[in-house]
Amino acid sequence: MGAERSRVEEQVSGTSALMRLEERLSTWGEAESAQIVADLKVKEQAGELTLAFCGHFSAGKSSMINKLCGKAVLPSGPVPTSANIVSIRSGAPEVLLHPYNGSAARSAEVIKTTPGRLQDYCRQGTEYSAIEVWEEIPLLGEHGVLMDTPGVDSTDEGHQAATRSALHLADAVFYVMDYNHVQSENNLAFAKSLSDWGKPLYLIINQIDKHREQEISMEEYRQQVESAFLEWGIHSAGLLFTSLKVEGHPLNQWKDLLAVISGLLEQRRELLDYSLSRSMHHTAAAVLTAYREEQEEERAGLLEEAGGAQAEAVEAEIRGTMQDEALLEERPEEARLDLRSRLDALLGNTNLMPADLRDAAGAYIESLQPGFRRGLFFTAAKREKEQAARLLHWHSLQIREITAQLEWHTLQLVRDWAEGLGLWQEGAEPLLKQAFPAVSQQWLADQVKPGTGASGEALLNFCRTLAAEIKAQFRRAVLAFGEPLLDELPPLVEERRAELTRRRAALQRQAHALAALAALDRAAAARADELTALLPPRRTLTPGALPGVQPLAAAAL
């Protein structure tokens, strides 16, 4: 009593999950997937176990189904429909044909006929989305359904879609292969897709009567096909060899196939619950995959626009361009101040009065002192000559220091500053040299005022004052030289502003693309989360739920 109540509660819970999933898929416009879930609701309420048979037209699939039914239920040739799925149940003989209406939903119109007239309807070429057949079939009992799907080698997209749809309704799948074409790529690829569904899969190699032991032993043939399945990652619940033409063939496992079907029907309830769980999760995964594929074209364009950039880096660079543009207004004055700052630092660290130069300056100043004499016969002419010699010596040392300590470094400073602004041009160097002050002998002599001391603290003060004056002249010359260069800065500033504007526009396009990509990711993640919340936990099969297949070697040899 308690187990039955638990079972009813589980069924109600599963039905509720299917209803919620169907409603959500319909809201999203996923009509085909919503119809699959609607079919799963009907399937759950019916409590039927559906055994789907797939295979190539030439593999004998339809003939095998007819033999399982014990009569020719299916037409002798392939049904010429666009997307036919034939479901066979045990009951009073009847056929329901569902006309194809071009949509995912099953047509409300139904054509009723009898199994005997099914062949006539098929010959008329009318298109049907599904065909339901009832005949007295003891094998199926009250809850068994045999499902025939279109041939997997069909190039009709409708046939392929029908096969995929049938797998949602299938609780166990029998894949029928021709003995001579088992290892074809088409066969193995489709078997792999069936295996990946996770539904119980039985592999049937039909027409085993074609086997010739003298050409290849059965053991070796079986090893070859099993190795092929293993290499493709195909997992099955069992491998069967059958023959419809030679019933008594020693390798025919027809009785084992019947036993497998009976065993599956005995485990109907657990297999049905497991199958519904797999179909729900598979449908949800397919919806999510399709949703992401729909995003791909947009995503590809956005990825190209984003150029592999990271959102944080792009935003930081946008802020940087805006800051740079704001600073452009102050660029000329900042450049002027920068030149002064660099120049003051250079001049402050330049020593124009080393000891030997101070001594030379002192010697000249000494020669100017009243009463200066050298030797016993020191005339006015000799005095002037001595003064000229001492001035020349002092001047040569002073020029040495100016050239080595000031001119070269100042020239390099101005060049670096102007190049940093894009203002330096060829021919500027000689013009700057011409702008430097000329420190002549006469100018030096003019700096010595009456009463200037020739030694001690007085001499040091004189040299400091002289050095400061020389530096001041250089400073004025450099700043005056820089002004015409700064006049060229506004056009460059405008050019830089335009460049920053273009760069920021490109960065903003990148930022927009990255934001759109993030939005797509969030939308896909939200859809995945919503689907996960709608789905019940995945079910698993208990050990021994699937009937096994006795190895052929033990059964026949």
Side-chain angles (χ1 to χ4, degrees):
M1 186 72 177
E4 180 61 26
R5 180 178 180 181
S6 176
R7 169 66 207 150
V8 171
E9 289 176 350
E10 286 184 7
Q11 184 171 1
V12 171
S13 175
T15 302
S16 298
L18 286 166
M19 289 178 62
R20 291 193 299 271
L21 181 59
E22 181 188 5
E23 290 173 359
R24 178 53 57 200
L25 293 176
S26 297
T27 301
W28 289 340
E30 298 287 347
E32 184 176 346
S33 297
Q35 181 60 47
I36 289 174
V37 177
D39 291 341
L40 291 177
K41 285 195 309 180
V42 174
K43 173 184 175 62
E44 183 185 46
Q45 292 167 0
E48 296 175 328
L49 189 77
T50 300
L51 310 177
F53 280 74
C54 303
H56 292 258
F57 285 123
S58 61
K61 170 173 57 70
S62 298
S63 299
M64 182 172 291
I65 292 175
N66 282 336
K67 184 167 184 178
L68 288 171
C69 294
K71 61 189 70 177
V73 175
L74 296 178
S76 57
V79 180
T81 64
S82 63
N84 58 301
I85 299 173
V86 182
S87 299
I88 303 172
R89 296 174 175 84
S90 182
E94 184 181 26
V95 172
L96 298 181
L97 299 102
H98 300 269
Y100 181 69
N101 63 359
S103 68
R106 180 173 293 187
S107 173
E109 180 187 357
V110 177
I111 299 174
K112 293 184 178 182
T113 184
T114 60
R117 295 198 60 196
L118 179 59
Q119 183 83 22
D120 296 333
Y121 273 93
C122 292
R123 285 174 181 160
Q124 292 172 10
T126 306
E127 295 183 348
Y128 310 105
S129 62
I131 300 172
E132 297 180 274
V133 180
W134 281 264
E135 276 277 17
E136 296 295 337
I137 304 171
L139 175 67
L140 296 179
E142 295 181 6
H143 301 289
V145 179
L146 290 178
M147 178 181 286
D148 184 23
T149 64
V152 301
D153 47 0
S154 172
T155 58
D156 190 311
E157 175 59 29
H159 284 189
Q160 296 173 14
T163 300
R164 291 192 297 269
S165 178
L167 293 176
H168 284 286
L169 301 175
D171 303 306
V173 180
F174 293 86
Y175 185 44
V176 184
M177 296 165 280
D178 186 319
Y179 171 87
N180 289 325
H181 302 100
V182 175
Q183 298 184 57
S184 70
E185 185 173 351
N186 192 8
N187 249 338
L188 293 170
F190 192 79
K192 170 63 175 170
S193 69
L194 295 175
S195 174
D196 291 344
W197 266 76
K199 299 285 184 83
L201 172 65
Y202 290 88
L203 303 171
I204 300 177
I205 298 179
N206 194 28
Q207 303 170 0
I208 191 62
D209 48 278
K210 293 180 180 179
H211 176 72
R212 299 294 179 265
E213 189 71 18
Q214 62 272 23
E215 297 176 2
I216 181 174
S217 70
M218 187 61 202
E219 182 178 358
E220 184 179 355
Y221 175 78
R222 181 183 183 117
Q223 288 177 350
Q224 286 183 2
V225 296
E226 287 181 342
S227 295
F229 294 143
L230 184 62
E231 288 176 5
W232 276 73
I234 299 169
H235 304 284
S236 70
L239 174 64
L240 294 132
F241 297 86
T242 60
S243 173
L244 302 179
K245 291 183 178 180
V246 186
E247 187 172 345
H249 195 284
L251 300 177
N252 189 9
Q253 292 181 282
W254 182 258
K255 292 182 179 180
D256 292 332
L257 173 59
L258 296 176
V260 166
I261 292 175
S262 297
L264 291 172
L265 290 171
E266 290 175 3
Q267 300 293 329
R268 174 180 61 88
R269 195 67 262 175
E270 181 178 357
L271 292 176
L272 178 59
D273 291 341
Y274 173 76
S275 173
L276 287 169
S277 172
R278 295 296 303 184
S279 289
M280 289 178 70
H281 282 271
H282 194 283
T283 301
V287 166
L288 189 58
T289 298
Y291 182 73
R292 287 172 172 156
E293 288 176 351
E294 289 173 3
Q295 294 180 332
E296 278 309 304
E297 184 175 353
E298 182 180 1
R299 181 181 292 276
L302 292 172
L303 284 171
E304 183 177 357
E305 185 71 44
Q310 299 296 320
E312 291 182 1
V314 171
E315 291 296 336
E317 193 171 351
I318 288 175
R319 290 192 297 271
T321 59
M322 295 176 68
Q323 291 170 0
D324 289 345
E325 191 168 353
L327 292 173
L328 285 178
E329 297 295 337
E330 304 171 2
R331 192 65 179 275
E333 185 58 28
E334 285 184 350
R336 184 177 288 107
L337 293 175
D338 182 37
L339 177 59
R340 291 177 180 176
S341 176
R342 295 189 193 192
L343 189 57
D344 289 345
L346 172 64
L347 296 174
N349 293 321
T350 300
N351 180 16
L352 295 179
M353 299 294 171
D356 62 338
L357 191 147
R358 292 197 304 272
D359 291 342
Y364 172 71
I365 295 170
E366 180 188 25
S367 70
L368 300 177
Q369 301 296 327
F372 172 73
R373 294 176 59 85
R374 289 193 68 186
L376 187 59
F377 304 102
F378 193 70
T379 65
K382 287 184 178 181
R383 177 188 179 93
E384 291 177 1
K385 184 177 181 181
E386 183 65 21
Q387 288 174 345
R390 291 189 180 193
L391 179 58
L392 176 63
H393 179 58
W394 174 28
H395 181 262
S396 65
L397 294 179
Q398 192 67 73
I399 294 301
R400 179 197 70 184
E401 293 304 316
I402 290 173
T403 302
Q405 302 298 328
L406 201 53
E407 286 188 355
W408 188 87
H409 292 290
T410 302
L411 179 62
Q412 191 62 39
L413 179 149
V414 175
R415 181 179 189 130
D416 291 344
W417 169 80
E419 285 181 343
L421 295 170
L423 301 175
W424 188 260
Q425 297 179 358
E426 292 298 326
E429 183 173 330
L431 293 176
L432 178 56
K433 287 182 177 180
Q434 291 174 16
F436 288 156
V439 179
S440 64
Q441 291 185 44
Q442 186 58 51
W443 185 84
L444 284 178
D446 291 343
Q447 303 310 304
V448 181
K449 307 304 179 185
T452 301
S455 62
E457 190 65 27
L459 178 61
L460 287 174
N461 287 335
F462 170 77
C463 288
R464 290 192 192 101
T465 301
L466 179 61
E469 179 59 27
I470 294 172
K471 292 178 181 180
Q473 290 187 20
F474 266 85
R475 188 176 188 277
R476 288 191 293 271
V478 169
L479 294 178
F481 180 82
E483 285 303 317
L485 295 181
L486 288 171
D487 290 340
E488 300 296 325
L489 194 54
L492 296 178
V493 167
E494 289 305 315
E495 183 179 333
R496 176 59 176 161
R497 179 179 285 107
E499 180 184 335
L500 288 172
T501 300
R502 289 192 297 270
R503 178 56 181 159
R504 187 168 66 254
L507 289 168
Q508 287 171 340
R509 288 194 296 272
Q510 280 187 306
H512 174 77
L514 290 167
L517 282 170
L520 289 178
D521 290 338
R522 287 194 300 271
R527 180 157 293 198
D529 291 342
E530 194 165 355
L531 284 171
T532 300
L534 290 170
L535 295 172
R538 292 180 183 271
R539 287 185 174 271
T540 57
L541 291 173
T542 58
L546 294 178
V549 178
Q550 184 180 12
L552 182 64
L557 301 179

